C-alpha cells in the first residue's frame, strides 16, 4: 500500500507525517522540486518511527515520479502559498501550471490513483487536475470542506466550552469567503447547536469560519499547515481503508443540487473508489441562495482558468 504526497512544504510534510504516524499506508513517498527537501523531511519522519512506534516507511525524492508508481492515493499540495494581500485568484495562472504538470506525471505512473487536491485556489485546482488526469470525477477531489468544517467545529467548541469531538457539522460551497456553513445540520452531542448558542454568537462564528484562512495568514504571514495537512490525511485514510466516511469534499457536480459542471464542496461518502456517492441535502431557500452565490463565484474563477488555457 503506497501513498504519495507531492509538495514537501509545510502542508505536504504534515500530511506525510500524519499518514506515517497513523500507519495509514505501508509506504509514503514525498516528492518535491527542490533538491534534498523531500529527502530530508522524509528521513526525519522515518527517524522518529522508533520513538512514536510506527512502521510506515517514508521516502523522499526530487522530481522522480517513477518512485511513485503504483500509488493508491496521491495528495497534491504543490503551488505557491498565499501571502498577505493576495487573493486566491492571484494564484491561478502559476498554480494551474504546476498542478497540470504534477497530475500528468502522477497519472503516467499511477493511472488508477485517487487524487486529492490541496493546492489553492482549491476548487479551481481540482478542476485543473480533473482535466489533466482525464479520470472520472469520483477519482479527482479537493480537500476543503474537512478543513473548513474543522475550523467551524473548533470555534464552536471554544465558545461552548465542550469537546470538539462531540460537534458534528456540514459545510458546503467553495473554499473561501463564499463557503456555506449550515447551522441547521450542526449538532453538539446530537443536540442542535441553535439550542445551545445565541444567534448573534453563532453568526459571528460562521463569519470567522469563512475568513479562517485569512486570519491565520495575518497572524503568521503564510497559510496554515497543521490542520490542512491533517485534513488531507483523513481523506486518504477514508479511501485507503474503505471507511465510507461522510465528509464535505470538493467534487464536480453533475446535476446534484441543480448544479452542473461546477466544482463545489458537498457532503459525500468517501471510500475505496474515492467519492462513492454524493449526498443531496434538502436545502431551504436561504441555504440554496447561499450555495448559488458560492457557485457563481467558483464559476467565475473557473472561467479565468478557461481563458488562461
Amino acid at each position: 500500500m503506497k501513498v504519495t504526497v507531492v509538495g514537501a512544504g509545510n502542508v505536504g510534510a504534515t500530511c506525510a507525517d500524519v499518514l506515517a504516524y497513523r500507519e495509514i499506508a505501508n509506504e509514503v513517498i514525498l516528492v518535491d522540486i527542490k533538491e534534498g527537501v523531500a529527502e530530508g523531511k522524509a528521513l526525519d519522519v522515518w527517524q522518529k518511527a522508533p520513538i512514536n512506534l510506527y512502521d510506515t516507511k517514508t521516502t523522499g525524492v526530487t522530481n522522480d515520479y517513477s518512485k511513485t508508481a503504483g500509488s493508491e492515493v496521491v495528495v497534491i499540495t504543490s503551488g505557491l502559498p498565499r501571502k498577505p494581500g493576495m487573493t486566491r485568484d492571484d494564484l491561478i495562472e502559476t498554480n494551474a501550471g504546476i498542478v497540470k504538470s504534477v497530475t500528468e506525471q502522477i497519472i503516467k505512473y499511477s493511472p488508477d490513483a485517487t487524487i486529492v487536491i490541496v493546492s489553492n485556489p482549491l476548487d479551481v485546482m481540482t478542476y485543473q487536475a480533473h482535466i489533466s488526469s482525464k479520470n472520472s470525477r469520483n477519482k479527482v477531489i479537493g480537500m476543503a470542506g474537512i478543513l473548513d468544517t474543522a475550523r467551524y467545529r473548533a470555534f464552536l467548541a471554544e465558545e461552548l466550552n465542550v469537546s470538539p469531538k462531540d460537534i458534528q457539522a456540514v459545510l458546503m460551497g467553495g473554499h473561501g469567503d463564499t463557503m456555506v456553513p449550515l447551522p441547521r445540520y450542526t449538532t453538539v452531542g446530537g443536540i442542535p447547536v441553535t439550542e445551545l448558542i445565541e444567534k448573534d454568537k453563532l453568526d459571528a462564528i460562521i463569519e470567522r469560519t469563512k475568513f479562517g484562512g485569512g486570519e491565520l495568514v495575518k497572524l503568521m504571514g503564510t497559510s496554515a499547515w497543521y490542520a490542512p495537512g491533517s485534513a488531507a490525511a483523513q481523506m486518504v485514510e477514508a479511501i485507503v481503508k474503505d471507511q465510507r466516511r461522510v465528509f464535505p469534499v470538493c467534487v464536480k457536480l453533475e446535476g446534484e443540487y441543480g448544479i452542473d459542471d461546477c466544482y463545489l464542496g458537498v457532503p459525500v461518502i468517501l471510500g475505496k473508489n474515492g467519492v462513492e456517492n454524493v449526498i443531496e441535502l434538502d436545502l431551504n431557500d436561504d441555504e440554496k441562495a447561499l450555495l448559488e452565490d458560492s457557485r457563481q463565484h467558483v464559476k467565475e474563477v473557473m472561467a479565468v482558468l478557461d481563458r488562461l488555457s
Side-chain angles (χ1 to χ4, degrees), residues 116-223:
V116 176
I117 298 296
V118 183
S119 308
N120 276 320
L122 189 284
D123 311 288
V124 182
M125 292 305 104
T126 305
Y127 174 35
Q128 177 65 71
H130 190 194
I131 295 170
S132 301
S133 71
K134 300 180 175 63
N135 276 354
S136 62
R137 66 165 180 166
N138 64 298
K139 302 286 281 186
V140 186
I141 54 182
M143 185 292 298
I146 293 178
L147 170 62
D148 294 330
T149 302
R151 288 171 173 162
Y152 179 40
R153 292 161 64 196
F155 298 152
L156 284 171
E158 189 174 19
E159 175 64 31
L160 295 171
N161 195 24
V162 300
S163 170
K165 296 177 184 177
D166 291 328
I167 300 178
Q168 294 295 322
V170 177
L171 187 148
M172 296 176 59
H175 180 50
D177 305 343
T178 63
M179 70 179 72
V180 185
L182 298 174
R184 198 159 59 92
Y185 292 99
T186 303
T187 61
V188 183
I191 304 167
V193 72
T194 50
E195 295 185 16
L196 300 174
I197 187 171
E198 297 87 348
K199 185 179 185 304
D200 60 337
K201 289 184 178 179
L202 182 57
D203 289 343
I205 286 172
I206 289 172
E207 285 304 301
R208 187 182 180 190
T209 301
K210 289 181 178 180
F211 298 93
E215 179 181 355
L216 288 162
V217 170
K218 288 180 181 178
L219 290 168
M220 303 188 296
T222 187
S223 300

Side-chain angles (χ1 to χ4, degrees), residues 33-55:
I33 193 171
K34 188 174 180 180
E35 187 73 40
V37 172
E39 290 88 341
K41 291 188 177 182
L43 182 59
D44 193 16
V45 172
W46 175 238
Q47 287 175 351
K48 74 181 180 72
I51 301 169
N52 289 341
L53 303 179
Y54 55 82
D55 299 317

Side-chain angles (χ1 to χ4, degrees), residues 137 172 251-257 259-266 278 291:
R137 66 165 180 166
M172 296 176 59
V251 64
K252 181 184 180 184
L253 295 181
E254 297 177 343
E256 296 88 358
Y257 296 96
I259 297 173
D260 194 41
D261 196 27
C262 187
Y263 294 76
L264 284 175
V266 294
V278 174
L291 186 61

Side-chain angles (χ1 to χ4, degrees), residues 214-289:
E215 179 181 355
L216 288 162
V217 170
K218 288 180 181 178
L219 290 168
M220 303 188 296
T222 187
S223 300
W225 61 87
Y226 293 128
S230 298
Q234 188 173 55
M235 290 178 67
V236 173
E237 183 175 28
I239 296 165
V240 168
K241 296 184 178 180
D242 192 24
Q243 292 178 329
R244 299 186 66 83
R245 297 287 304 273
V246 176
F247 288 136
V249 166
C250 178
V251 64
K252 181 184 180 184
L253 295 181
E254 297 177 343
E256 296 88 358
Y257 296 96
I259 297 173
D260 194 41
D261 196 27
C262 187
Y263 294 76
L264 284 175
V266 294
V268 307
I269 298 173
L270 201 60
K272 65 179 180 180
N273 298 308
V275 172
E276 304 284 352
N277 188 41
V278 174
I279 298 173
E280 289 195 69
L281 303 176
D282 185 15
L283 303 181
N284 61 34
D285 290 343
D286 290 342
E287 292 160 348
K288 288 177 182 177

Side-chain angles (χ1 to χ4, degrees), residues 43-81:
L43 182 59
D44 193 16
V45 172
W46 175 238
Q47 287 175 351
K48 74 181 180 72
I51 301 169
N52 289 341
L53 303 179
Y54 55 82
D55 299 317
T56 299
K57 181 70 171 71
T58 52
T59 303
V61 296
T62 301
N63 273 347
D64 184 1
Y65 284 88
S66 67
K67 302 294 186 183
T68 71
S71 295
E72 183 163 338
V73 184
V74 176
V75 179
I76 299 178
T77 72
S78 307
L80 295 179

